[in-house]
Amino acid sequence: MFFRCLLLALYLFSPFLSNAQTREIDSLRQIIHLHNRDTSELSARIHLIYILTRVGKNDIAMREARDAARLADSLNSAFWLSSAYTYLVHLHQETGQIDSARQYLAKAEALARSNKGNMKTLVNFLRSAGLFYKNQGEYKEALKYMLESVEVWDKRGEFLAGQFLNLGNVYINLGDFKNAADYHLRALRTFEEINNTRGQAYCLQSLGSDFQSMKQYTTAKTYFERALKLKEQLKDDRGKLTSLLSLGDVHKDLEEYKKATEYYDDGLAMSTRMNAKGMQAHIW
């Protein structure tokens, strides 16, 4: 549950509720409606917010996060309170309420700094701060918090892999492609250790972009090819389309125009099937 509370936006999710998600929400609401006012209720509330955020139900998620924060505060539960604050930062930022997001971020920091022995609470805040400043375009500020998060949390796993990936993305925004590649490679190795194929695919695609930006086109091509292979295994059509277009671009950079055209043609055919007009514009 800890990692689920933290990982707000590593993957792309459908905006629609599946039948399984609907059943899960119903099950969680049954636990909440027992009104036990204990950690089991808090866990159910935070899990519910996680699902609602995934499917874009931000208004409902906001109400649930406020309720969770009040309950956690009444129970003097620092970790669950920090989890609720994390979601409130994210949701207010998503809905353009930046001042409110900053207020909840300040609350999360005060809570974390006053509970120094609670590492999970500190990491909750650090990750939330890093993503907040990244999304605000304040990349140097984001970097400060993200670097601290990987210093204090050294357990190998999905959270650390996600933070390495986020760090790589921040370095891209700063134009530091060498450090971007370094952290994307760290993320790749960590995702490989935990057998997370989707995470590996994201890292390989990012590494291809890093090396393409550094004009190391042959290396970039290799990473894009590896990303495409994994996305085919995952049956990730949108991800596959991105890799096809990237391969078209890198072959064009290599002046291998026939091969570039083949990838663009494959990408155009796929984007037409998917009605992905934005991707079609990239090709034209």
Side-chain angles (χ1 to χ4, degrees):
M1 174 58 69
F2 170 54
F3 299 113
R4 186 168 290 176
C5 294
L6 289 170
L7 294 176
L8 297 176
L10 182 56
Y11 305 122
L12 297 177
F13 297 106
S14 167
F16 303 105
L17 283 169
S18 67
N19 289 334
Q21 287 169 329
T22 300
R23 289 193 298 272
E24 191 171 15
I25 286 175
D26 290 342
S27 176
L28 291 168
R29 289 202 181 280
Q30 287 178 9
I31 296 172
I32 293 168
H33 289 158
L34 292 173
H35 297 296
N36 288 331
R37 298 188 62 77
D38 56 11
T39 55
S40 64
E41 181 179 338
L42 278 171
S43 177
R45 286 185 179 279
I46 294 298
H47 191 175
L48 176 61
I49 298 163
Y50 166 74
I51 297 172
L52 293 169
T53 303
R54 282 177 58 180
V55 298
K57 304 289 185 180
N58 288 344
D59 54 341
I60 304 173
M62 187 90 77
R63 292 198 299 271
E64 294 290 346
R66 292 193 182 106
D67 289 344
R70 283 191 288 269
L71 178 58
D73 191 32
S74 71
L75 295 175
N76 197 29
S77 177
F79 169 65
W80 292 113
L81 183 55
S82 75
S83 298
Y85 284 161
T86 293
Y87 278 109
L88 285 165
V89 171
H90 168 73
L91 289 163
H92 279 96
Q93 187 176 34
E94 280 286 296
T95 54
Q97 302 175 65
I98 305 304
D99 288 343
S100 294
R102 290 185 186 275
Q103 289 173 8
Y104 279 109
L105 190 62
K107 290 183 178 183
E109 180 171 19
L111 183 67
R113 303 302 184 190
S114 64
N115 287 269
K116 294 183 179 179
N118 192 327
M119 191 60 66
K120 292 179 179 180
T121 298
L122 176 60
V123 172
N124 252 350
F125 159 67
L126 292 172
R127 185 179 188 280
S128 181
L131 289 175
F132 172 80
Y133 287 112
K134 174 181 176 290
N135 292 335
Q136 287 299 109
E138 300 176 41
Y139 301 119
K140 290 184 179 179
E141 194 71 8
L143 199 62
K144 178 176 71 175
Y145 291 105
M146 289 183 180
L147 286 170
E148 185 179 353
S149 75
V150 298
E151 288 173 5
V152 301
W153 187 267
D154 58 358
K155 297 179 183 178
R156 309 295 289 180
E158 196 171 69
F159 169 73
L160 192 62
Q163 282 299 81
F164 285 152
L165 185 59
N166 287 331
L167 274 162
N169 294 340
V170 169
Y171 275 116
I172 284 178
N173 288 313
L174 289 169
D176 186 345
F177 301 112
K178 185 176 183 299
N179 269 318
D182 178 54
Y183 276 100
H184 284 148
L185 189 57
R186 293 190 198 189
L188 174 62
R189 289 170 178 163
T190 309
F191 278 125
E192 288 173 342
E193 288 173 11
I194 60 177
N195 296 315
N196 186 318
T197 305
R198 191 173 296 276
Q200 293 173 47
Y202 275 109
C203 293
L204 290 167
Q205 181 70 33
S206 296
L207 282 161
S209 297
D210 298 336
F211 283 99
Q212 187 175 20
S213 296
M214 291 187 286
K215 302 187 186 304
Q216 298 182 37
Y217 300 127
T218 301
T219 302
K221 177 173 72 73
T222 299
Y223 280 116
F224 286 141
E225 288 170 343
R226 291 175 62 188
L228 178 61
K229 185 175 180 181
L230 286 187
K231 290 171 183 179
E232 288 174 339
Q233 292 175 15
L234 292 164
K235 302 187 186 305
D236 177 5
D237 285 346
R238 184 165 292 276
K240 181 179 175 181
L241 176 55
T242 300
S243 293
L244 286 171
L245 299 183
S246 296
L247 281 163
D249 290 343
V250 79
H251 277 286
K252 184 172 67 175
D253 292 332
L254 288 165
E255 299 183 0
E256 297 172 354
Y257 299 115
K258 181 179 179 182
K259 196 69 177 176
T261 300
E262 291 174 4
Y263 280 113
Y264 285 144
D265 286 346
D266 288 345
L268 180 60
M270 176 169 280
S271 65
T272 301
R273 290 196 301 274
M274 295 170 58
N275 195 29
K277 295 179 179 179
M279 293 295 194
Q280 293 173 13
H282 174 97
I283 299 169
W284 293 113

